[in-house]
Amino acid sequence: MLRSNSWLNKWFNSKFKGAEIFQKDLIFCISIQRTGTTSIGDFFQNFGYKVARWNDSWKNQWSELWYQGDFESIFFSEEFKKYQVFEDDPWWLPEFYKVLFHRFPNSKFILFTRDSDTWFKSMVSHSKGRSLGNTKLHSKIYRREEEFIKLIKSNPSLTNSKPEIDNLLGLQGKEDHYKRLYEIRNFEVISFFHHQNMDRFFHAKLEDSDKWVRLAKFLDIEIPKNYSVHSNKSND
């Protein structure tokens, strides 16, 4: 006879210190960069939520831990336990939403998408036509590992250096590649939640003027009439 999930959760929590984090009502923004992630973080901060932002991730090297597959070091870190809402990387990185979905059974997920042409133009404008952020991580996310390997062969120190914002690859001539990955990834995310549990998932187009009203309703938050937030306008 199989025991209930509630029994298993109680047993797990009693055996492993800090396991209560996995039962919290966490919220993960899994929108790809340049798709309103900062605005989502500002939305939650405006209504009193504790939000982990890009600087928190960078300080704790959470994306590097994702790259190494060391997810538990993220989840059991003291910084992770401080927050309820998580935006920017590593939460939107490839396939991580599946790990988060199963690891945190009470969590909710937010996905904003936008027209892929507009998205790619925003990518190009952000870092003046260069790859965004750390090149090792960027090449993994956007399937440019072969090009990164060539960089390593010409500069072996890249393999051992501490992750930094180095912008080593160009985006010129890669528009179709990036847009295809963007569209496929968003399709896969939506399909995953349709199959798993749509009650835990919110999706809106970035261009949707009613997105904040709809998001507030999804989360049962009261917001002022005509509320709006639009961060990083200069890099859109």
Side-chain angles (χ1 to χ4, degrees):
M1 178 178 176
L2 293 175
R3 298 180 184 271
S4 68
N5 284 337
S6 61
W7 182 91
L8 287 173
N9 288 335
K10 289 178 181 177
W11 177 86
F12 186 84
N13 289 342
S14 69
K15 293 294 182 183
F16 298 95
K17 182 180 179 181
E20 64 274 4
I21 185 66
F22 300 113
Q23 304 307 316
K24 290 181 68 176
D25 297 329
L26 304 182
I27 301 169
F28 297 99
C29 171
I30 54 173
S31 311
I32 290 183
Q33 62 190 145
R34 312 310 305 154
T35 318
T37 57
T38 303
S39 296
I40 290 175
D42 290 344
F43 169 88
F44 281 104
Q45 283 192 331
N46 288 343
F47 295 101
Y49 287 79
K50 293 183 177 180
V51 184
R53 315 297 298 256
W54 176 86
N55 56 310
D56 300 298
S57 175
W58 183 258
K59 177 178 66 177
N60 291 283
Q61 291 297 298
W62 285 338
S63 292
E64 176 64 17
L65 290 170
W66 170 86
Y67 187 92
Q68 300 299 335
D70 189 3
F71 305 150
E72 297 304 288
S73 288
I74 300 174
F75 303 149
F76 280 102
S77 66
E78 290 304 314
E79 283 288 308
F80 182 85
K81 297 174 187 178
K82 290 180 181 179
Y83 300 105
Q84 183 179 1
V85 179
F86 302 84
E87 62 97 349
D88 217 294
D89 59 85
W91 324 112
W92 61 268
L93 300 185
E95 305 294 323
F96 201 27
Y97 62 91
K98 296 178 182 178
V99 175
L100 299 169
F101 177 88
H102 294 292
R103 201 71 173 94
F104 300 94
N106 298 322
S107 59
K108 288 184 169 63
F109 297 82
I110 298 168
L111 175 71
F112 280 7
T113 59
R114 68 193 301 188
D115 171 76
S116 59
D117 290 320
T118 308
W119 170 76
F120 185 73
K121 289 176 182 176
S122 179
M123 291 281 284
V124 171
S125 69
H126 182 274
S127 297
K128 299 179 180 179
R130 307 298 296 175
S131 55
L132 285 67
N134 175 254
T135 305
K136 180 181 74 172
L137 182 65
H138 184 96
S139 65
K140 174 62 67 176
I141 296 168
Y142 295 106
R143 307 316 311 262
R144 298 182 66 180
E145 297 96 330
E146 187 175 352
E147 293 168 85
F148 184 67
I149 289 171
K150 290 180 180 178
L151 287 176
I152 291 174
K153 288 180 177 179
S154 62
N155 185 2
S157 64
L158 288 173
T159 58
N160 300 316
S161 60
K162 181 180 178 181
E164 59 183 27
I165 298 173
D166 46 21
N167 313 113
L168 297 179
L169 294 175
L171 301 184
Q172 295 84 356
K174 296 290 184 178
E175 180 174 357
D176 289 343
H177 172 80
Y178 276 81
K179 285 165 54 177
R180 184 168 61 251
L181 285 177
Y182 180 75
E183 292 167 359
I184 290 172
R185 185 268 185 179
N186 288 332
F187 175 84
E188 289 179 342
V189 171
I190 295 168
S191 297
F192 173 83
F193 282 97
H194 270 292
H195 177 73
Q196 294 290 337
N197 188 344
M198 285 297 289
D199 291 338
R200 294 171 58 187
F201 179 65
F202 176 85
H203 170 231
K205 294 283 189 180
L206 192 61
E207 301 87 354
D208 181 3
S209 60
D210 292 327
K211 59 184 175 294
W212 301 119
V213 173
R214 292 177 52 225
L215 178 58
K217 185 177 180 181
F218 172 73
L219 297 165
D220 197 23
I221 299 173
E222 279 195 36
I223 64 173
K225 187 178 180 180
N226 300 321
Y227 171 87
S228 184
V229 57
H230 185 180
S231 310
N232 290 342
K233 292 182 182 180
S234 61
N235 283 323
D236 280 355

